[in-house]
Amino acid sequence: MLIVPEREIANLMTRQAAFEAVEKVFAAMAAGDAYNFPVVREAIGHEDALYGFKGGFDRAGLTLGLKAGGYWPNNLEKRGLINHQSTVFLFDPDTGKVKAMVGGNLLTALRTAAASSVSIKHLARPDARVLGMVGAGHQATFQLRAALEQRSFDKVIGWNYHPEMLPNIQKVADEAGVPFETVELNGMRQADVIISITSAFAPSLMADHVAPGCHVACMGTDTKGKQEVEAALLARATVFTDEVAQSVQIGEAQHAVAQGLIAESDVTQIGAVINGTHPGRDSDDQITLFDGTGVGLQDLAVAASVVDLAVQQGIAITVDF
Ligand code: NAD
């Protein structure tokens, strides 16, 4: 069995490798070669923690396993640990033997950023120049860094519910040498691409804040009840997702579907666009929206990729298990 500790991930995994792994597994999902197992998520009644498993099998990539982990809200204050904790376990699909254990914390941020980047690559207008950010927390910095590599953006505009957090994303824009501007939400009409990555339970971005032709990646809503954008925006947009079942149950589409504004059949897996079985964007005026709910197969894909890199570089720890 191989172990790749959390401390090694930053030096091993690249944004490019995460992008390729996620794009490939989205394609496999749409082709019917990969599927996610039902998600388990439980409030364990200890330390206010939410714990669960996300798993799946990719027959094309021969990746089988699960991510175990969740959210411990007291970690930072009580123990100086980050609140999100996760570990990926990979198994040999030929034998069922455990193959690898991989730190999943940084990988989660990288695979989530890779998902919105894949959506930008396949759905944003090629001439997109202004990137809008709604959210400025931990994930937002990864999202912005990855998105800037997808188009020749010449400006980043940002809004956050807690304005004092905006310097987090300004720093990323500064490092990339792209001018940054703080805007009110109606200023988002300048944006050609908007990434929303907040933990909100009520919408901030309304349909009228989004201009025709924009691509919106909604990345924060991964639980029942969370909501980042007005449901009417989904009715106005062509909606794509990582996985339709998750999108309509725990993703941003849950609200538009519940209100009868769109049907489950209006939501398309992005893998179909990657595979060329769906045309994707069909005009410069169309609003495209990606509902990124986060699937276990993304975690397995990036973990498998990092195990390969760790073996190549002699960093993986081998344990006789
Ligand atoms: P964080 O705590 O670091 O940041 C939270 C962000 O949400 C901040 O920008 C904050 O200002 C904003 N926010 C908080 N309350 C708000 C409100 N009422 N209205 C509007 N904005 C509000 O969290 P994070 O680690 O950056 O995670 C952000 C979200 O992304 C969470 O909901 C998390 O569960 C989700 N997430 C999704 C995936 C996925 O695959 N889709 C993966 C990881 C995390």
Side-chain angles (χ1 to χ4, degrees):
M1 172 185 174
L2 299 168
I3 297 177
V4 185
E6 183 69 42
R7 64 171 183 274
E8 302 290 359
I9 307 292
N11 291 329
L12 282 169
M13 196 59 183
T14 62
R15 284 193 293 281
Q16 185 59 29
F19 182 96
E20 284 167 14
V22 168
E23 186 180 49
K24 219 164 158 182
V25 82
F26 282 168
M29 282 165 59
D33 290 330
Y35 69 104
N36 293 288
F37 304 154
V39 175
V40 174
R41 201 168 158 85
E42 296 285 323
I44 59 172
H46 179 73
E47 289 287 352
D48 296 324
L50 276 178
Y51 175 69
F53 313 107
K54 279 187 168 185
F57 178 43
D58 176 3
R59 208 175 286 115
L62 288 180
T63 313
L64 173 70
L66 59 91
K67 178 168 85 168
Y71 188 70
W72 275 260
N74 307 321
N75 269 4
L76 192 60
E77 254 176 50
K78 275 196 186 170
R79 303 183 176 87
L81 295 172
I82 64 168
N83 292 347
H84 286 277
Q85 290 292 336
S86 63
T87 307
V88 180
F89 296 88
L90 298 175
F91 296 84
D92 181 343
D94 295 336
T95 62
K97 269 179 69 97
V98 65
K99 204 162 132 182
M101 181 169 97
V102 184
N105 295 348
L106 178 58
L107 283 182
T108 299
L110 292 172
R111 65 80 149 145
T112 306
S116 65
S117 282
V118 167
S119 84
I120 294 167
K121 173 182 167 186
H122 291 280
L123 295 170
R125 293 193 333 269
D127 63 349
R129 289 290 177 271
V130 179
L131 173 58
M133 292 296 301
V134 175
H138 179 69
Q139 301 292 335
T141 57
F142 290 88
Q143 293 283 324
L144 176 55
R145 212 170 275 125
L148 285 171
E149 291 166 351
Q150 293 307 317
R151 292 290 186 271
S152 302
F153 291 109
D154 51 29
K155 184 160 76 167
V156 177
I157 57 177
W159 178 90
N160 195 45
Y161 185 76
H162 302 103
E164 68 278 9
M165 293 170 79
L166 283 165
N168 292 341
I169 53 171
Q170 168 145 25
K171 185 165 174 270
V172 176
D174 289 349
E175 280 165 11
V178 183
F180 179 86
E181 213 177 86
T182 299
V183 294
E184 295 302 325
L185 277 164
N186 58 16
M188 283 291 157
R189 285 189 64 85
Q190 298 174 59
D192 304 305
V193 172
I194 299 173
I195 298 175
S196 183
I197 180 84
T198 69
S199 50
F201 281 80
S204 300
L205 192 73
M206 299 300 177
D208 287 344
H209 296 144
V210 177
C214 187
H215 172 64
V216 186
C218 300
M219 303 304 298
T221 296
D222 55 359
T223 305
K224 220 169 180 55
K226 282 187 184 172
Q227 186 174 10
E228 297 192 282
V229 307
E230 187 183 16
L233 177 61
L234 281 87
R236 198 175 287 180
T238 307
V239 182
F240 300 85
T241 187
D242 40 25
E243 190 184 82
V244 175
Q246 282 201 180
S247 169
V248 301
Q249 283 162 21
I250 59 167
E252 203 57 47
Q254 63 181 291
H255 307 287
V257 169
Q259 291 171 32
L261 296 175
I262 63 168
E264 181 169 339
S265 55
D266 293 323
V267 183
T268 302
Q269 276 195 202
I270 191 151
V273 182
I274 299 169
N275 289 336
T277 56
H278 186 287
R281 168 176 291 281
D282 59 25
S283 83
D284 281 352
D285 287 341
Q286 184 185 29
I287 294 173
T288 52
L289 185 145
F290 176 66
D291 185 7
T293 64
V295 293
L297 282 169
Q298 277 170 264
D299 297 299
L300 306 189
V302 290
S305 171
V306 94
V307 168
D308 288 346
L309 290 166
V311 169
Q312 278 165 26
Q313 297 179 29
I315 287 167
I317 300 165
T318 305
V319 176
D320 186 12
F321 178 71

